[in-house]
Amino acid sequence: MQLYNTLNRKIELLKPLDQSTVSIYTCGPTVYDYPHIGNWFTFIRYDLLVRTLLNSGFNPTWVMNITDVGHLTSDADEGEDKLEKGASREGKSAWEIANFYNDYFINGLNRLNFIKPQYLPRATDHIQQQIELIKVLETKGYTYKINDGLYYDTSKFPKYSDFAGLDLDEQQSGLRININPQKKNKSDFALWKFSPTDKRRDMEWDSPWGLGFPGWHIECSAMCLKFFGPTIDIHCGGIDHVPIHHTNEIAQSEAANGQPLAQIWMHTNHILINDQKISKSLNNSILLEDILEQNFSLEAFRLYVIESHYRSQSKFNWTGLSSAQNRLLRYYNFSSLRHQPHFLGTTNYYPIDISTVMENDLNTPLALKKIEDFINQAEVRSISLSSLENATNQIDNFLGLKLSYVPDINQQIKKLIQDREKARKKGDWIAADNIRNQLVSNNINILDSALGPIWQYSQLPKN
């Protein structure tokens, strides 16, 4: 399997450190609000990676963190903790906010047909691991203390700017007044932030440096180390994590452990709405509930994500989602032929194989082209039930579209189709048309063929 590696800016062959498993760490949600579709685009692409590994003979172990403390409103070290901000917004405690949105996120994984990660660790459950890692950095001379926290001195890590290609001199010249002037370098980041002296936070812990809470970046390094050791196979995140979060992870992990943090860094690109990034501040966030309210299915949304490559800058619009829903309906109706044996043939032919394109840097657009070609061929001439089932199973396994679960029609609908055929044979076209109208009202269209009537769903059925 090959993946584009942000570390080297090229596609590389995956060579697991341990042949028995592939270690994957993905940056998960900050559970202070509902995740928007831009977040779900990223998370679905993680799922596609894990599915491809599973179906290509690998044994992935997937850890996705839950950030429930320490992520400030700025990705650097400025502003309010997002959990504290959410608590203030909703009149609840930060713990209540974290628990509610954590549960919502996990429910979303199920609603979107994810392969659930083996581990979904929360930052607040790993405070001691974060403290221990900070102590290692302190012992090695990478830290310094100022009035608002304990900081990592990026000048002590010569490779700090390499991963993201940062220009630190330019950053320093643009130093803003509102950044703590005690920081030695603008790029320095907080490992442990001190609680304010004038109020008590919902989330704060004792530490060797004082009462406070961990910085956002240290949680991922600490949990990677706990679950996998110093080096993992694949680390994933959004492209916006490259210049700050992942750069800081590399600095603190590799300084502490003396080994590369990850062999391959996989990053998903931005999702745009009206040529703008999705942002709550721009009021252009779309939630899963908004998709359902517009009468689109979450399976259609998953297909919409799959239609674009994870490294491309994708654009969301309702017209595109409508097209994806129509495409999924065609896939579902193709799968429904399993319930209509009179249409199926006996020849196994034209095998579908999307594994090769998925193993080539998750080329989902080409995978969909292969599916379209297969369906086009199958519509020209009948195929065997085994060919149909092999195709839909492969699509489900790699893409998670649940084609194998398209339901059969009930006995009442089947009797209406039989009655219509009887009326047609008698030449009673009025009765046949009346029955057709009844079928349409029940979400069923009829195609008359030489092999007999073929029923199709006119709207996506509920699986």
Side-chain angles (χ1 to χ4, degrees):
M1 180 169 176
Q2 300 181 99
L3 288 170
Y4 183 85
N5 190 354
T6 305
L7 187 65
N8 300 319
R9 305 300 195 270
K10 63 181 181 180
I11 293 177
E12 293 186 351
L13 182 68
L14 172 64
K15 298 178 181 178
L17 295 163
D18 181 348
Q19 292 302 314
S20 65
T21 189
V22 176
S23 50
I24 305 170
Y25 185 94
T26 63
C27 288
T30 301
V31 285
Y32 74 108
D33 205 341
Y34 294 103
H36 54 62
I37 59 168
N39 304 132
W40 288 117
F41 260 74
T42 296
F43 301 145
I44 287 172
R45 286 161 170 172
Y46 298 163
D47 182 65
L48 294 172
L49 168 65
V50 174
R51 285 177 176 275
T52 300
L53 288 166
L54 275 171
N55 290 285
S56 300
F58 294 97
N59 179 31
T61 299
W62 182 10
V63 175
M64 177 152 59
N65 73 299
I66 304 292
T67 298
D68 57 357
V69 68
H71 192 170
L72 304 188
T73 50
S74 162
D75 282 351
D77 298 302
E78 305 167 64
E80 189 177 4
D81 184 305
K82 289 187 175 183
L83 271 295
E84 298 281 337
K85 182 178 179 180
S88 175
R89 179 188 67 234
E90 298 188 22
K92 300 176 181 178
S93 73
W95 291 100
E96 290 172 325
I97 290 293
N99 289 334
F100 177 83
Y101 290 111
N102 176 75
D103 292 346
Y104 176 89
F105 172 71
I106 292 174
N107 183 48
L109 296 180
N110 295 326
R111 294 162 74 192
L112 286 162
N113 195 30
F114 273 65
I115 292 176
K116 193 172 180 180
Q118 285 93 333
Y119 303 99
L120 286 161
R122 292 173 62 158
T124 53
D125 291 332
H126 295 82
I127 299 299
Q128 191 57 43
Q129 286 86 351
Q130 295 172 71
I131 289 174
E132 292 303 318
L133 185 55
I134 296 169
K135 287 166 68 176
V136 171
L137 291 169
E138 183 179 46
T139 300
K140 291 189 172 186
Y142 285 92
T143 69
Y144 64 92
K145 185 177 179 181
I146 57 178
N147 63 353
D148 67 344
L150 189 75
Y151 279 76
Y152 183 102
D153 186 347
T154 56
S155 67
K156 298 288 184 69
F157 189 72
K159 300 187 299 179
Y160 181 78
S161 62
D162 292 355
F163 183 65
L166 300 174
D167 187 333
L168 297 183
D169 290 336
E170 183 178 326
Q171 278 195 339
Q172 194 69 25
S173 67
L175 189 65
R176 296 191 301 273
I177 296 174
N178 61 344
I179 290 179
N180 191 326
Q182 295 181 9
K183 284 177 64 171
K184 294 181 179 180
N185 311 284
K186 181 183 176 182
S187 54
D188 294 351
F189 56 92
L191 299 167
W192 189 265
K193 293 282 283 187
F194 300 142
S195 293
T197 56
D198 57 343
K199 65 178 180 179
R200 183 174 179 82
R201 285 172 48 91
D202 285 340
M203 293 179 167
E204 56 186 10
W205 296 264
D206 287 322
S207 79
W209 313 283
L211 186 68
F213 58 99
W216 171 36
H217 317 295
I218 196 68
E219 69 174 85
C220 290
S221 291
M223 289 191 282
C224 263
L225 184 62
K226 173 187 173 180
F227 287 98
F228 295 126
T231 305
I232 64 174
D233 291 311
I234 306 173
H235 196 312
C236 303
I239 197 170
D240 52 315
H241 286 157
V242 173
I244 297 179
H245 183 49
H246 287 170
T247 288
N248 292 348
E249 272 192 71
I250 289 170
Q252 62 200 7
S253 291
E254 297 187 4
N257 303 321
Q259 297 182 38
L261 174 54
Q263 293 201 106
I264 292 178
W265 289 84
M266 172 185 162
H267 289 97
T268 67
N269 211 329
H270 295 303
I271 314 303
L272 303 180
I273 296 179
N274 297 325
D275 295 324
Q276 293 180 313
K277 282 180 59 179
I278 300 175
S279 168
K280 290 181 174 63
S281 63
L282 295 174
N283 198 31
N284 65 352
S285 297
I286 296 173
L287 309 182
L288 296 183
E289 284 68 28
D290 297 321
I291 288 173
L292 294 172
E293 286 177 7
Q294 295 293 324
N295 295 317
F296 294 106
S297 76
L298 296 185
E299 290 81 10
F301 172 65
R302 172 180 266 272
L303 180 56
Y304 190 39
V305 175
I306 292 168
E307 287 179 342
S308 59
H309 191 268
Y310 78 91
R311 286 196 287 117
S312 66
Q313 192 172 74
S314 307
K315 295 183 179 182
F316 177 88
N317 56 68
W318 294 106
T319 301
L321 182 56
S322 179
S323 297
Q325 182 141 303
N326 290 335
R327 171 183 267 185
L328 185 61
L329 178 60
R330 187 186 181 207
Y331 290 3
Y332 274 26
N333 281 327
F334 171 70
S335 180
S336 74
L337 295 176
R338 74 186 63 221
H339 305 304
Q340 306 177 68
H342 61 279
F343 183 80
L344 295 171
T346 58
T347 304
N348 294 317
Y349 80 101
Y350 196 71
I352 187 173
D353 179 15
I354 62 174
S355 63
T356 53
V357 295
M358 290 299 291
E359 290 168 3
N360 185 14
D361 199 31
L362 306 182
N363 195 333
T364 52
L366 191 52
L368 294 184
K369 183 181 185 304
K370 283 181 170 285
I371 295 169
E372 296 286 344
D373 290 344
F374 180 83
I375 293 176
N376 289 338
Q377 289 287 332
E379 288 179 344
V380 171
R381 45 187 175 167
S382 59
I383 63 171
S384 69
L385 178 61
S386 62
S387 289
L388 175 63
E389 290 181 338
N390 287 339
T392 53
N393 287 340
Q394 186 178 161
I395 295 167
D396 286 354
N397 290 339
F398 277 92
L399 305 181
L401 293 177
K402 304 200 303 191
L403 301 190
S404 302
Y405 300 93
V406 174
D408 194 1
I409 52 177
N410 61 41
Q411 291 301 317
Q412 181 181 1
I413 297 297
K414 288 180 180 179
K415 186 176 185 306
L416 284 174
I417 294 173
Q418 293 171 357
D419 290 344
R420 178 176 175 275
E421 280 301 287
K422 291 177 183 177
R424 278 166 48 83
K425 288 178 180 178
K426 291 179 181 179
D428 189 349
W429 308 116
I430 294 177
D433 287 345
N434 286 337
I435 295 172
R436 179 189 283 274
N437 291 336
Q438 291 182 60
L439 291 169
V440 169
S441 67
N442 282 278
N443 189 30
I444 298 296
N445 290 329
I446 295 294
L447 303 178
D448 294 312
S449 76
L451 297 173
I454 301 169
W455 59 264
Q456 293 187 336
Y457 288 106
S458 57
Q459 297 178 12
L460 291 176
K462 295 185 182 299
N463 291 336

